[in-house]
Amino acid sequence: MHFEIRYPTPALQPYITRYVFVRAEGSTDTMAPPDDDPRFVNGKHVQQLLPNYGSLVFMRNAKADFNGTFSDGLTILGPYRKPVALTTLSGWFEGMLLDFEPGGLHALLGIDLQQIGDQILTAAEYGDEGLKQCDQIFKSATDAEMIANLIDAFFAGHLPRRENVSYSRLQKAIEACDALKGDISTSRMAEEACLSERQFLRIFRQYVGIPPKQFIRLRRFHRTLQHMQKEAAAGHPIDLIHIALCHGYYDLSHMALEFQQMGCFTPSHFRMLGIPLTDDFSIFFA
C-alpha cells in the first residue's frame, strides 16, 4: 500500500491539515490479513476512525462498509464515525482523505458538523454544490499533485472574504486548551473566546460537532499520538510514562484508560502494532 501526503497552501493551513493519498494493488484475497489483527475484521481492511473534526474521503474502485456501502465518490464523515470496513472491487483502489483543523470544514463550506453526527453522506446526498464540484475534481484527475493543486484552488475560492470572527475565537480557545495540556474547563475556554458559555457551546458544536469536554480529551489524545509518531520517526524509543506526563495525564494508567476508551487499544498495544500514518486513524491502513 502506497501513501503520499501533501499539504495545503499556507492560506489554507488554518483550515486544512493535510491531504493523504493512498493506493493499494493486489487482489482482495492477497490483501486480507489474519483475523486476529485488530486492524481488520472478517478479512476486510479495517482501521479505527476515532472521533474527528470532520473529514472528506474520496474512493475510487473500492467499497466501504458504513452500515451500507459507497464507492467511487466523495463522502463526508461525521465526527462520531468509528469502524470502517474496506474492500476492493477488482484488486486495487485509490483514495484521498482530507483532514480538517477543528472547525475548518464549517468555516470553508458551512457544513454544520453537529447536524451530521455519525452519518456518512455522499456529496449528492448532502446536496451541497461545492462538494459536488469537489467530487468532480477527484473524478477528472488521477495524479496526486494535480488533485492537490486543484483542491487548493477550489478551497481558496471558499476562503472567508473577511475575518470569520467565530472561527478566530474558536481557535483562541483551542490554543488555550493545547497550552494547558487539556487541563481547562469549558467556562475557561469560553473566556478565551470572549464569549458567554452558552454562546461558546453553540458555536463550538456547530463548528466542531462534538461538545468541548469531549474535544478536550480528544485533542489531548491526538497530541499524544503525534508525539509517539514523532519519537518513532526519529528512531527514539517510546517512553510511555514520559509521554503520559508530557500531555497532562496523571500517570500511565490514566493514559491507558483514555487509549482504550477512544482507540480500543492500550498504549503498549499501539506501540507494538506500529505507528499509523495519520493521527486521527483514518480508514486508510498504514
Side-chain angles (χ1 to χ4, degrees):
M1 190 170 287
H2 173 72
F3 285 91
E4 184 174 349
I5 296 180
R6 291 186 174 271
Y7 296 94
T9 60
L12 290 170
Q13 287 175 8
Y15 306 93
I16 301 173
T17 307
R18 64 180 71 84
Y19 309 137
V20 182
F21 294 88
V22 61
R23 181 180 175 89
E25 297 184 57
S27 70
T28 302
D29 293 337
T30 60
M31 293 173 69
D35 289 337
D36 60 357
D37 189 321
R39 292 170 290 187
F40 297 88
V41 176
N42 299 327
K44 297 180 180 181
H45 293 271
V46 171
Q47 184 74 3
Q48 284 291 336
L49 181 65
L50 301 177
N52 61 87
Y53 312 130
S55 299
L56 298 182
V57 173
F58 174 82
M59 287 188 182
R60 181 181 286 119
N61 207 47
K63 294 200 321 188
D65 185 2
F66 301 109
N67 297 322
T69 60
F70 82 86
S71 61
D72 244 8
L74 184 69
T75 304
I76 312 170
L77 303 185
Y80 286 103
R81 292 307 305 186
K82 289 188 179 180
V84 175
L86 177 66
T87 56
T88 61
L89 295 179
S90 60
W92 68 272
F93 84 92
E94 59 184 356
M96 176 181 170
L97 170 77
L98 277 78
D99 270 340
F100 289 87
E101 291 294 309
L105 185 55
H106 180 80
L108 290 174
L109 294 180
I111 294 174
D112 188 333
L113 292 178
Q114 185 179 14
Q115 291 183 355
I116 295 177
D118 64 350
Q119 297 183 64
I120 302 293
L121 298 173
T122 65
E125 288 171 339
Y126 190 73
D128 183 84
E129 290 302 318
L131 284 180
K132 291 179 183 178
Q133 293 173 27
C134 201
D135 191 23
Q136 290 304 314
I137 290 174
F138 286 111
K139 291 179 177 178
S140 62
T142 56
D143 178 75
E145 181 176 5
M146 180 183 295
I147 292 176
N149 290 338
L150 289 171
I151 293 298
D152 273 346
F154 169 78
F155 280 111
H158 287 77
L159 283 169
R161 296 185 179 180
R162 58 179 181 272
E163 182 185 11
N164 185 325
V165 177
S166 294
Y167 187 69
S168 298
R169 289 176 171 176
L170 177 69
Q171 294 307 305
K172 289 180 180 178
I174 291 172
E175 288 170 6
C177 176
D178 291 340
L180 295 173
K181 299 179 181 178
D183 186 16
I184 188 171
S185 64
T186 300
S187 59
R188 173 67 185 279
M189 291 181 75
E191 289 176 10
E192 294 291 336
C194 299
L195 294 167
S196 69
E197 190 167 348
R198 184 175 181 179
Q199 288 175 312
F200 177 72
L201 287 171
R202 177 181 59 80
I203 291 173
F204 197 94
R205 287 172 175 155
Q206 183 180 36
Y207 275 73
V208 184
I210 57 178
K213 287 184 178 180
Q214 184 177 349
F215 172 83
I216 291 168
R217 294 177 60 206
L218 175 61
R219 188 72 168 177
R220 180 170 56 189
F221 179 72
H222 280 173
R223 292 293 185 188
T224 304
L225 293 183
Q226 290 170 352
H227 190 164
M228 293 176 73
Q229 289 176 313
K230 185 177 179 180
E231 292 294 299
H236 299 155
I238 299 176
D239 185 339
L240 295 178
I241 295 177
H242 172 72
I243 289 175
L245 296 178
C246 279
H247 294 279
Y249 294 107
Y250 300 126
D251 51 29
L252 183 55
S253 296
H254 182 204
M255 184 172 79
L257 179 62
E258 290 281 281
F259 266 58
Q260 289 176 318
Q261 290 178 345
M262 292 203 171
C264 303
F265 52 81
T266 65
S268 298
H269 194 189
F270 172 74
R271 180 175 59 182
M272 179 184 69
L273 289 173
I275 305 301
L277 193 62
T278 57
D279 55 306
D280 70 344
F281 276 62
S282 75
I283 61 173
F284 301 134
F285 166 72

